[in-house]
Amino acid sequence: MTKEEEEKEEEQQQQQEQEEMTKEEEEQQQEQEEMTKEEEEEEEEDLEELPWWKTSIVYQVYPRSFMDSTGSGVGDLLGIASKADYLRDLGVGAVWLSPVFTSPMADFGYDISNFTDIDPVFGDLQDFDFLLEEMHARDLKVILDFVPNHTSDQHEWFLKSVRREDPYTHYYVWEDPAGYNASGHPFPPSNWLSVFRGSAWEWVEERQQFYLHQFLAEQPDLNFRNPAVREEMKDAMRFWLDRGVDGFRVDALKFLFEARNAYEDEPRAQDSDVDDPLQYEFLEHTLTVDQPETFEALAEWRALVAEYEGRFLMVEVYADVNETMKYYGNESHPLADFPFNFLLIDSFQSRDNLTGESVMDVIDEWMTNMPEGKWPNWVIGNHDNSRVASRLGSDLVDALNMLILLLPGTPVTYYGEEIGMEDVFISWEETQDPRGLNFGPERYLEFSRDPARTPMQWGDEPNAGFSPANATWLPANANLTSLNVATQDEAEASHLGVYRQLSELRREVTFVRGDLAFPLVTEEVIAILRSYKRAPSYLLVINTSEYDVTVDLQQGTTLPEVGTVVLRSVTDTSDATMPGSKVQLSNVTLVGGEGIIFQFGQV
Ligand code: GLC
């Protein structure tokens, strides 16, 4: 063979080898593709297996303030129905309505005088059925507020109970006075206090007894030791389940039972700085909340709800984490699907203690205390608490929506938080909330819940497009001209836009099923990693401080060098972190209160 021939042969051989290589590679690639397809299918199945409430955002509507269809100045059911498309486009899966039942409105619907009808302020049963249809047609679930602890003092049961008319005589918690003073004035059985201030006991001349009210005097506590009461409340539940509602939020559950001996006093709260003896926090509540029988009643409701397919139960309990976890039940005795996780509210009443570290601690606290096999949830605001933008800072609105929507579990969003609504200053004269009113003109600002209950800001029209009335039950925020749905809808970057993208993003299996880790946590910053099998991983980075911070997200972590920005807070306008940009994770700058979401391959 000549040298030339030799070279030629070698070349040919090489070519052949290369072709074989490519073939092999191709086969490998094909195999891999098949794997990914298989995996994708598997992941889709993973999603399908879950009940709807595990993949949904729960959106809380305060019906008085969402949309007024009649011009009464108060929102109503048809108003809510007219916003069904908005809710669908927002990407939420379930709408929880604060109470819409017949009520004298002493506590704006939480004082119910008929559990199986709609208050005329909100509409009627026909309107309710229409709303349900509109929601269901858009694959939105409807959750009602179930208020078992008390009724209105105008409820027929109570009026008859006062008169000792059977079977209502023992429907409420009635007790004889502890004694009388020299002038014949009756003393209440014990020192128990109302959550809304003052004695929890109210004297009724006609019956010559006190009744218990853990909230307003207009909200007498039902006697859950009476089996007839238990049945009545179950009937009310059935009424709505039969009508097609998808579940309940159970109100004020921990107050359901009290100690049998109503003549025993509760002790003074230790380490409390409250010196007003009529304020609820003055006492330690050892006899009036979290009684063991509460869990029996809850188990009965769980069983009832389970008779219907695909229905859901979440419960309101403000308690320490250990106590709260009991409301989940366990594998063999399931109770609520979840008790609300109020840690993000309780721990962060102001920005003062909001740090990367404290946010991680709060997340860990829920995750590590939650019973095996249970599902977490995250609540950042509601009708009883100051709004996120006012409580923690408007610069944090997007970051905190990112947080609750991208953590494992079900997020709960209070209406208006998706556009970053703020508390409204309500003067003493305009104050509606009975809790505020009970503290008088000097102290009401600290306690009134009105500021967070103002009309939803739909547009820049008068009353923010919420109502055509001259005056609304609470005034709309003056910032409505710039802060509203219509403006944010059109803006290139907005809170609403971020929220919609988030609700879309969280459908990915990584967020539904993925693991949770904290690759970097400092005083200012928390980085939250979500990863699942071979699906893309996501890193949410939040700067909790009010100033710019630059972080090295790679140092000491196994994160890749580069991440692609998926989404960021509207407060950031720099080119470096524009969505779609590839960013060196070793050098990321976040403006104050900002959240950025990065995506990369498997880690
Ligand atoms: C719950 C509600 C609150 C209401 C109270 C009494 O805490 O969230 O708004 O005033 O119960 O029903």
Side-chain angles (χ1 to χ4, degrees), residues 48-69:
E48 272 167 21
E49 271 167 31
L50 293 171
W52 61 265
W53 55 268
K54 288 192 174 178
T55 52
S56 299
I57 298 169
V58 174
Y59 185 86
Q60 180 189 0
V61 164
Y62 194 68
R64 293 182 73 81
S65 302
F66 199 60
M67 186 65 198
D68 170 16
S69 76

Side-chain angles (χ1 to χ4, degrees), residues 153 158 173-174 200-202 204 209-213 217-218 220:
D153 64 343
F158 187 72
V173 184
W174 291 103
W201 296 105
E202 184 79 4
V204 176
Q209 275 190 314
F210 284 95
Y211 69 84
L212 178 74
H213 60 91
E218 292 89 341

Side-chain angles (χ1 to χ4, degrees), residues 327-345:
Y327 290 84
Y328 269 115
N330 52 40
E331 288 283 34
S332 47
H333 291 100
L335 294 172
D337 289 312
F338 53 72
F340 282 132
N341 172 357
F342 290 130
L343 290 177
L344 292 171
I345 293 181

Side-chain angles (χ1 to χ4, degrees), residues 36 38-50 54-55 375 405-409 502-516 530-538 599:
T36 338
E38 224 170 78
E39 266 180 3
E40 254 173 37
E41 273 166 21
E42 195 185 301
E43 281 167 13
E44 264 166 37
E45 266 170 35
D46 283 353
L47 286 177
E48 272 167 21
E49 271 167 31
L50 293 171
K54 288 192 174 178
T55 52
W375 190 257
L405 265 67
L406 301 185
L407 282 173
L502 277 173
S503 64
E504 186 62 37
L505 185 62
R506 75 183 299 282
R507 293 177 205 276
E508 292 206 11
V509 69
T510 305
F511 294 109
V512 182
R513 293 267 190 192
D515 295 335
L516 170 70
R530 302 296 315 273
S531 49
Y532 182 73
K533 294 186 184 170
R534 297 203 194 178
S537 299
Y538 291 90
Q599 189 212 60

Side-chain angles (χ1 to χ4, degrees), residues 107 110 150 196 215 249 251-252 316 383-384 449 453:
D107 190 19
Y110 285 96
H150 43 265
F196 292 152
F215 293 88
R249 171 260 189 191
D251 179 76
E316 184 210 33
H383 64 298
D384 295 328
R449 297 168 294 178
R453 296 178 173 181

Side-chain angles (χ1 to χ4, degrees), residues 211-231:
Y211 69 84
L212 178 74
H213 60 91
Q214 296 222 51
F215 293 88
L216 296 176
E218 292 89 341
Q219 292 168 299
D221 269 47
L222 282 164
N223 172 16
F224 264 82
R225 297 195 195 283
N226 181 345
V229 168
R230 305 260 277 250
E231 281 315 305

